[in-house]
Amino acid sequence: MSSKSSKRIGGEYGVVRAHLDVYKLNTYIKAHVPVVSAPAEVQQFQFGQSNPTYFLTDAKGKRFVLRKKPAGQLLSSTAHQIEREFRVLSAVHMHNTNPTTKPDQFVPVPTPYALCEDSSVIGTPFYIMEYLDGRIFNDTRMFEVAAKDRRECWLSAVQALAALASLDPAEIGLGNFGPLTDYFPRQIKSLVRVSEAQARVVDVDTGKATGKIPFFDEMVDWYRKNLPNEKKTGLRVVHGDYKLDNMIFHPTENKVIGILDWELCTLGSPLADLANLTQPWAIEAKNIPEDPLLKNYNLLNAFKNTTKDVPIPLEDLEREYCRLTSQAYPINEMTFVRSWMLFRLAIISQGIAARFARRQASSEQAFVHKRLFPVVGNLAKVVLEDEGYTIGNKPKL
């Protein structure tokens, strides 16, 4: 490994921004979580847009992670579901510790320890899990490490995803974890409703509405008319937010040791996770506005039609995924999936903008999303236009 990676990479924590009652937390821990030696000191991780996430150090110096729902009235009944997060972590952990599980079937996750659904403890439900000491790359370009390490880390991310996509939900106790119908029609139905509600949220100071995603109605109409055939992959466990900064890599080896942030997990098409992971390759720099705030935002790294700072060719990632999941390359459905996952990201970004409007967002960077979500919505549209589709009244030139 490069010497540049000797310093800590990602996972920074500090002062608590979203406050909780530490005394009540420690009282609960002492009574219900024997693996943690109370009293525990509490700090908060700097990154994380949705569920406030805390770094715990117990009386013996052992470290843990606590995740909770945001305080206040929530806009979406499908987001922030830390109870579902805990359930899927528990199921995957049991799969990993099953003596019959082969090494290539191992899906790296932190060990979950306790779920508290009693809101009277710290204001919302929460759970406590293992702290994994490793590297979190918040920038998909991975400047902290050498070119060889970047390539190996990305391939490891694909290998971990392929292992997840190979799980049979019923065999690990998740057969009823989500609806058994096709994933993308469900996503469209639920997220359209969420986005419409988010668009109406007004800022507590300015009184201005969050606003709609550009070409929202036209895009939704296209998705409904061009649904992919999901029978090719079957129903699988979908992480829902599978991307580089939701993984912890080994401190010195280029392999994933933990997949984080499972709150959006459900049953559906594994191609959604593949598209989400490889999203930078769907974005071209020319389609990002000349806005300094957005140009420096890692979420909009653009790998399409360039080799500059690109850690690995997209074809290498997709061929490896196809090899590990025993399917043909290329995957024809990826145009739809890439566009939808960007559109979905626009809805998620719009949600953060709406929570910021209500001053409920947990991230220090939440204010960016008021300007970000319309841009991401347009990127979803461009993916389709680049493949010859016409959205709205403007034909492709």
Side-chain angles (χ1 to χ4, degrees):
M1 284 192 56
S2 166
S3 61
K4 289 191 294 183
S5 62
S6 59
K7 67 184 181 79
R8 181 169 189 82
I9 299 174
E12 295 85 0
Y13 50 85
V15 297
V16 174
R17 301 185 307 278
H19 289 276
L20 50 77
D21 190 322
V22 177
Y23 176 79
K24 283 188 175 181
L25 172 63
N26 277 311
T27 301
Y28 177 87
I29 287 173
K30 189 173 183 179
H32 301 287
V33 195
V35 71
V36 183
S37 299
E41 296 181 357
V42 181
Q43 295 172 285
Q44 188 170 359
F45 287 97
Q46 292 180 11
F47 290 89
Q49 299 283 11
S50 183
N51 291 325
T53 305
Y54 301 85
F55 179 77
L56 308 183
T57 306
D58 76 0
K60 295 181 179 178
K62 193 172 180 181
R63 298 170 291 179
F64 301 88
V65 173
L66 181 150
R67 276 172 64 81
K68 68 183 288 290
K69 292 186 178 183
Q73 182 181 358
L74 302 178
L75 290 168
S76 170
S77 61
T78 58
H80 317 291
Q81 296 193 44
I82 57 98
E83 300 93 342
R84 289 175 60 81
E85 238 183 86
F86 186 83
R87 181 183 172 188
V88 74
L89 284 172
S90 299
V92 174
H93 176 67
M94 288 185 67
H95 160 78
N96 290 341
T97 54
N98 188 320
T100 64
T101 299
K102 299 176 182 177
D104 62 348
Q105 298 173 322
F106 185 89
V107 180
V109 295
T111 302
Y113 292 123
L115 170 67
C116 176
E117 298 180 274
D118 182 357
S119 296
S120 70
V121 179
I122 60 170
T124 71
F126 68 92
Y127 72 88
I128 295 173
M129 65 179 174
E130 175 187 15
Y131 170 76
L132 295 173
D133 191 8
R135 298 171 292 165
I136 299 177
F137 295 98
N138 296 308
D139 189 326
T140 52
R141 295 168 294 186
M142 302 175 67
F143 290 140
E144 302 94 335
V145 297
K148 174 179 177 293
D149 299 315
R150 297 171 197 169
R151 178 181 177 85
E152 291 177 359
C153 284
W154 273 95
L155 288 173
S156 178
V158 165
Q159 290 155 7
L161 177 57
L164 174 62
S166 299
L167 293 180
D168 183 329
E171 289 184 1
I172 62 170
L174 294 177
N176 65 346
F177 190 66
L180 304 182
T181 54
D182 282 357
Y183 176 70
F184 293 111
R186 281 190 276 125
Q187 284 271 292
I188 293 168
K189 182 179 179 180
S190 64
L191 290 179
V192 163
R193 184 169 58 248
V194 167
S195 183
E196 288 173 343
Q198 291 171 170
R200 294 191 293 268
V201 172
V202 298
D203 190 281
V204 294
D205 293 329
T206 67
K208 293 182 179 179
T210 302
K212 291 180 68 172
I213 295 168
F215 292 91
F216 180 83
D217 296 327
E218 294 88 343
M219 292 290 289
V220 170
D221 182 63
W222 188 93
Y223 293 130
R224 286 173 171 159
K225 292 177 179 176
N226 293 274
L227 293 164
N229 178 8
E230 298 187 36
K231 291 182 173 59
K232 292 183 179 180
T233 59
L235 211 62
R236 291 291 183 262
V237 177
V238 178
H239 178 276
D241 195 20
Y242 195 85
K243 56 194 177 82
L244 198 71
D245 63 359
N246 276 340
M247 298 172 220
I248 299 179
F249 289 82
H250 189 278
T252 59
E253 300 175 24
N254 296 325
K255 67 177 182 181
V256 179
I257 60 172
I259 304 169
L260 307 176
D261 292 8
W262 293 78
E263 66 165 295
L264 299 177
C265 184
T266 188
L267 302 184
S269 171
L271 297 183
D273 283 340
L274 178 62
N276 207 60
L277 175 65
T278 58
Q279 185 175 279
W281 285 268
I283 300 173
E284 193 167 1
K286 70 178 184 180
N287 296 315
I288 302 173
E290 290 295 330
D291 183 333
L293 200 61
L294 299 182
K295 282 289 185 182
N296 297 324
Y297 201 64
N298 293 336
L299 188 65
L300 294 181
N301 284 344
F303 294 166
K304 187 174 182 179
N305 293 331
T306 186
T307 58
K308 185 178 186 299
D309 299 329
V310 177
I312 184 173
L314 175 61
E315 181 176 340
D316 292 5
L317 294 174
E318 291 194 338
R319 283 190 180 277
E320 177 68 357
Y321 180 85
C322 289
R323 182 185 73 82
L324 293 169
T325 56
S326 302
Q327 57 185 302
Y329 174 87
I331 304 172
N332 294 328
E333 293 79 7
M334 289 305 290
T335 296
F336 174 100
V337 182
R338 285 194 200 288
S339 177
W340 168 254
M341 293 307 288
L342 277 166
F343 193 74
R344 175 178 175 271
L345 178 62
I347 296 174
I348 293 170
S349 177
Q350 180 195 42
I352 299 170
R355 289 199 299 278
F356 177 76
R358 288 182 168 181
R359 304 303 183 261
Q360 291 179 328
S362 63
S363 170
E364 295 174 337
Q365 296 181 317
F367 69 95
V368 177
H369 288 264
K370 175 65 177 175
R371 287 149 74 173
L372 180 65
F373 81 81
V375 173
V376 179
N378 183 64
L379 292 173
K381 177 169 167 280
V382 169
V383 167
L384 300 179
E385 291 175 339
D386 282 352
E387 294 299 320
Y389 297 102
T390 300
I391 305 298
N393 297 322
K394 184 180 178 180
K396 182 183 176 185
L397 298 177

